[in-house]
Structures are given as C-alpha cells and as structure tokens.
Amino acid sequence: MAASEPSGDAANVARAAAELGLPDDASAPAERARVVGVEPDITFRHPLVRTAIAAGATAADRRRAHSALATAAAAQGQTDLRAWHAAAAAAGKDEAVADDLAASADRARDRAGAAAAVDLMVRAAALTPDPEVRARRLLRAAEDALSSGAGAQARVLLDEAEGAVGPGADEGRVVALRAEIAMISGDPACFALAPAAYFAAYQAYRGRDPDRASRALLRACDMVVLAEHLIAEISAAELMGAVDPRTGDDPDAPVRDLLLAAVRSLVLEPYDVAVPRVRRAIDALLDPSCPDAEVLAWFQIGTSCCTMVLDDQARARLLRRAAGVARRTGALRELDVILFCQSMAATSRGDLNRADAYAAEGHQLRAVLGATPDQWDIYRHPEQMGWRADDPNVRDLLQLTVTGATALGNGAIVSIAQIGEVTLDLGEGRYVEADARAGALVDRGELPIHTRVLPDAVEAAARAGDLERARRWNAELAHRAAVCATPWARGLAQRSAAVVSDDADAEAAYRSAIALLDVTEARADAARAHLVYGEWLRRQQRRTDARLVLREAHDRFVQIGATAFAERARGELAATGERARRRTVETEGLLTPQEQQIADLAARGETNAEIAQRLYISARTVDYHLRKVFRKLGITSRRELRPPDR
C-alpha cells in the first residue's frame, strides 16, 4: 500500500490500511529492516525498493491497495488523488472512473500545463468503453502532447484515435492535429499545406461546433502568413471569402473574431481601411482581461499584425506576455515559436545581442524537442546574419536557409532570408542586387507583411539609379506610415522621403527622420538614418558636417555589431578625408551569446567537430567564432579559456 501511494502521505496509507483491516503495527518489520520510514511521510530506502515491491505484488493485490487508497483520499476530499487511485484499481473499462480521471486531467492542465494532463487523459481513454468518447479523449491527449513538445507521442495517440472518429467535428480535430504534427515534425511542404488543412478542419466544424470553426479559420489565416508565397491548394483570398464581413463588428466580439476581421480586411480591403481593424484586434489581445489561453493561441498572428502596421512596441509587449504564459504552463512548442519571434523582433530593432540570447535559448529548447535537419536550417535567424555579416560563408548559409525553408513550404522564412540578403547587399553597397530582391519582396503575397521592407526598397532603387521606382515605393510607404502613425513608421517614412527628395528638401527630412527614430528602440534604423544623412552631406561637399554624422553612424553600427554597415560608414568617412579606425564589435571586448556558448564548450575540452554537432553549425564556423573569442579575450589558445562554473 505504501509503494502504491505516490504522495508519500503516511496518514492516507494508515487510513487505507485500516480500510483493509491491517493492524496498526503492520509496518514494524519493514521499519526495523530499514526498508521504509513512515514519519512524518513515507520514504523508501531507495526508489528501486518501491518499484520492486509494487512489481512483486499480484495484480489483484495492487488493485486492492489502490481501491483502499482511493477510499482514503475521498474521505479527505482529495479529488484528484482519489480519481488516480480509482483508475489504478479498475480491472476493466469503467466510464464513471474514466470520467473522473478526465476531469482530473482538465484540472491538471489548468494547474500545471498541458504536459501534466497527457498521461491522465491517456489512462482515462483506456478505461472508456464507448469508442467515440475514447477517441475524443485520445485526441485531447494528443493535443496536450503536441503543446508540450512531444510530437512523436502526439502522432501515436492520433493514429490510435483516428479509426474510431466519426464524421463531423471530431474529424476536424483530426485534420487540424495532422497539420500541427506535420509542422512540428518537419514533414515536406507542411507549412505550404497547412492553410488548406485548417480550412478543411473549419469546414468539418462548421454548423456543428461554431467555436472550433472560427478557431480553425483563424488558424488557417495564421498559416497563410507562414506559408506566404509558397501556399498550396488554396489562396488567402479564398480563405477570407469564408469570413463573414460583419465578423468583429459586435462591441463584445471575442479576440479571435477581431483578429479574423483584421486579417480579412488586410487581404480584401485597402490598407487605410484595414489598419483600424488591426489596431482594435491588437488592443484586445494586449488587454489584461484577455485570457492567457487566447494570448498563447493567437500571439503569432497578432505579432504579424503588429509588424504589418509597424508597431514595434505592441509587438514587444505581446511577445513578452506570450512568453510568460508559455513558460508558466510548460507550452514548449509555443515557447519555441515565441523565442524565434523575439529574436527576429530584436534583430529588426538592431538589438543583435539580445537577438543572440533569444536564439541561443531557442536552440537549446529545439534540441530537446528534436528538430529535423531542414528545421535546423531555417532556425539560423537569417536576417540577423545579414546584419552581422561576420561569417565568411554568410551567403552560403542564407541560401541553405532558403533551401530548407522551401522544402518545408515556409515562405515566411524564405522571405526573412531574402531580407537578410537585402540587408547584406545594402551594407556592402550592392544596390542593384538589393533593388531586385527588395522589390520582389514588397510585391509578394496577398498581405502587406513586408511593409517594413519598403524603406530598403526605396534606398536600393534610388542608389541603383531607378528614381521612378524609388518614388513609387516611397509614396506607398508614406501612405502606410500616415495611416499607422507610429514613431517607427513616421521615422522610416521621413528617411525614405529624404533619400528621394530634391536637395532643397532633403536636409529637413533627414533631420526629422533622425529625431523620430532616435526616440524609438529601432537602433539599427536610427543608425541608418545617420548614415544616409552623412552620405548626403558628403555629396553636398559639406565635409565637416558629414564627418560628425558619419562618425556617429559608424560608432552606432559598431556598437550593435552591424559589421557591413559599419564598414560602409567607415568608407564614407574615408571619403571625407577622415581615417576611421577599422573595427567591429570585437573591440568591445564582450562575447555574443553564441560566442560565449562556443567558448564554454571549448573550455570543457570539446573539439570543434563536437561543438559543431552540439550547436548544429559547421566546424568551420566554430573555428571562425573561436578566433574572434581569442581576439576579444586577448588570449592565443583554448587552454587559456576558463571553464564555466558548474
């Protein structure tokens, strides 16, 4: 009986022993042999002793013990413990016991997260006599397993449930789960096919389960953003045709309806009509009264909406809250996505060290979840590589990301890798290449997801000599910035306006851009405003003024670690007659999170090949980073690295 009581509650065991008529001193021989202690709680000499005792008992004796313990737990009002013992005592299928255990699983999920509910729901399903009810419980267990990052277990549970699922709403759950499992498992084209899969789930739910139907439709919208130009078997416009135009008009509409209305408007209506709907949805998602479960369900589409209206502050707040919920509830799969989004958001702000930290944590989590090779290829944070520009193989790595993301059907990551290439092109002064890439991005897809690329498109086209194209992009950016009206949007619009302005009007626009961007967290964009202003001043033969502004731009790029842009600023400074010291972020003497990780592993004695395998990078990249570490720390060999504290 003691071996069957997981809580170690001696009082529970004593009550159960009395239930079976055991004498008060029944534990004495085991206590004298020091096999078990009973005060204040029951403890075994070794965990294997507990296991051996339980394994050595007959099945009938184990059921008798659990039955008595269930009675004892019920007397103390320990509902969940009673349900667990009753399930262990059951000799066959028993709906009453299964129902209690399923309710216990629901409470465990609310209390401790999805992972805590999986085993309880699986056991409840095993005890359920009705095949359809059993299948529903297995589906719920699969959903919990998926949320906690156990994709392989989720697939096994789904396979077990699918045969007993009838037509209708449960069929919709199967379709949705298949799509989710495919994405977490890295199946070919999984992201490209996901919007159509969720639309099929929506059709299965429609008329039977309105709540699940609207959730499936919004999830399909979420997947449209990820699939982007690689979307297969359906289009965003077709999806949005299923959304009632009145959705979200009710003042008390749930947040998912507001998000559906926002995405529908972004696809089917002009930008200035869509933005107020987007803002209403974002505000609802950020409202403290919005349930944590809704934040966790819709943070990804909410983050995309924030990006489409150039609201970096709202995006940061939403991701912070979502991360807190995911950590608190053990939602590892969602946390993985949140960390990736946080890294990309930090990169777009120019906070590259923080982006590194998010990426390092994401790599550790992804290793636990078991990412596939193609998934690892897309998790290189390609835009960040374009800013850093400090790996000699950066363009090859960006192409690997494109290849891996294309195999998965993840158009969003393909685009981010191409944004990384645009960033690299602009930093290196390859304006013709940047013009072609940025223009293709801005023209891509049915959603204005690449609004933030418009400033790059303007600068690239202007520098490539295509002023007509640059002014067309600038007019579109000016329109969107006026509608968004965030400091970030207005600053970007002013910077772009300056780039295409006549000399008489340019300076005021440059100064306005700097003033607006300097009060935001967009450090990279503020540094770029200084850079293009300094370049303009040099072309105006105002060398003294140009030096001041270019030096500021150079120092800012060095500080954030934007190597190519720092070099571009250094070259411009040299053209004014000032010799800028060639330096990068290395001279700051601080290791990035990835460099610190590599240094720690090297200090422990791991070879470059072992480090590369652990961090899913090439041995050549490890060697490159180690040389940077040596320069920063002023050492010459790995023997001088200090092992990290354990």
Side-chain angles (χ1 to χ4, degrees), residues 442-479:
V442 171
D443 280 338
R444 178 175 290 169
E446 299 168 88
L447 282 162
I449 194 68
H450 296 305
T451 294
R452 71 186 182 94
V453 183
L454 278 167
D456 293 338
V458 172
E459 183 181 346
R463 290 300 182 90
D466 192 346
L467 273 176
E468 181 182 347
R469 182 177 164 99
R471 286 180 174 136
R472 177 159 55 89
W473 294 138
N474 179 64
E476 183 60 31
L477 175 59
H479 168 65

Side-chain angles (χ1 to χ4, degrees), residues 237-251:
E238 287 177 87
L239 275 173
M240 293 304 96
V243 180
D244 188 328
R246 296 165 296 177
T247 298
D249 288 347
D250 184 343

Side-chain angles (χ1 to χ4, degrees), residues 125-169:
L127 294 171
T128 303
D130 186 306
E132 284 196 24
V133 177
R134 177 176 177 273
R136 285 192 201 106
R137 285 173 174 161
L138 285 170
L139 288 176
R140 189 67 180 102
E143 289 164 350
D144 287 333
L146 189 67
S147 182
S148 58
Q153 183 184 19
R155 197 187 290 269
V156 169
L157 292 169
L158 179 57
D159 288 344
E160 189 178 349
E162 192 167 6
V165 167

Side-chain angles (χ1 to χ4, degrees), residues 38-199:
V38 298
E39 291 181 354
D41 294 320
I42 292 175
T43 54
F44 284 86
R45 185 171 66 201
H46 191 281
L48 290 177
V49 172
R50 176 194 288 271
T51 303
I53 290 169
T58 66
D61 280 344
R62 284 196 296 272
R63 285 196 297 273
R64 285 178 66 226
H66 282 294
S67 180
L69 286 162
T71 302
Q76 297 301 306
Q78 296 172 319
T79 306
D80 291 334
L81 188 60
R82 183 202 63 77
W84 187 85
H85 280 303
K93 296 188 185 300
D94 186 319
E95 179 54 37
V97 174
D99 198 48
D100 282 349
L101 197 59
S104 182
D106 291 339
R107 288 189 292 272
R109 185 184 307 107
D110 293 339
R111 184 174 60 247
V118 177
D119 289 344
L120 294 171
M121 195 60 82
V122 169
R123 178 62 177 148
L127 294 171
T128 303
D130 186 306
E132 284 196 24
V133 177
R134 177 176 177 273
R136 285 192 201 106
R137 285 173 174 161
L138 285 170
L139 288 176
R140 189 67 180 102
E143 289 164 350
D144 287 333
L146 189 67
S147 182
S148 58
Q153 183 184 19
R155 197 187 290 269
V156 169
L157 292 169
L158 179 57
D159 288 344
E160 189 178 349
E162 192 167 6
V165 167
D170 289 340
E171 196 174 32
R173 290 176 76 182
V174 169
V175 172
L177 265 170
R178 282 276 174 229
E180 290 287 341
I181 291 168
M183 286 185 286
I184 200 172
S185 303
D187 292 357
C190 53
F191 291 98
L193 296 168
Y198 272 101
F199 188 68

Side-chain angles (χ1 to χ4, degrees), residues 346-406:
T347 297
S348 72
R349 292 194 306 268
D351 194 348
L352 302 185
N353 283 339
R354 182 166 294 184
D356 269 345
Y358 288 133
E361 185 179 357
H363 272 55
Q364 291 169 352
L365 178 58
R366 212 161 297 117
V368 171
L369 297 178
T372 67
D374 278 340
Q375 286 173 311
W376 279 113
D377 280 338
I378 74 171
Y379 291 131
R380 297 179 192 277
H381 293 266
E383 187 177 352
Q384 187 185 7
M385 287 193 289
W387 278 105
R388 289 275 191 212
D390 60 353
D391 191 311
N393 306 309
V394 61
R395 291 192 183 271
D396 291 340
L397 291 172
L398 287 169
Q399 195 51 52
L400 272 176
T401 297
V402 169
T403 301
T406 301

Side-chain angles (χ1 to χ4, degrees), residues 202-223:
Y202 157 76
Q203 290 175 312
Y205 290 135
R206 191 174 51 179
R208 298 180 176 91
D209 190 333
D211 181 70
R212 284 187 182 274
S214 68
R215 289 178 180 277
L217 192 55
L218 182 54
R219 186 68 172 145
C221 296
D222 208 347
M223 294 300 101

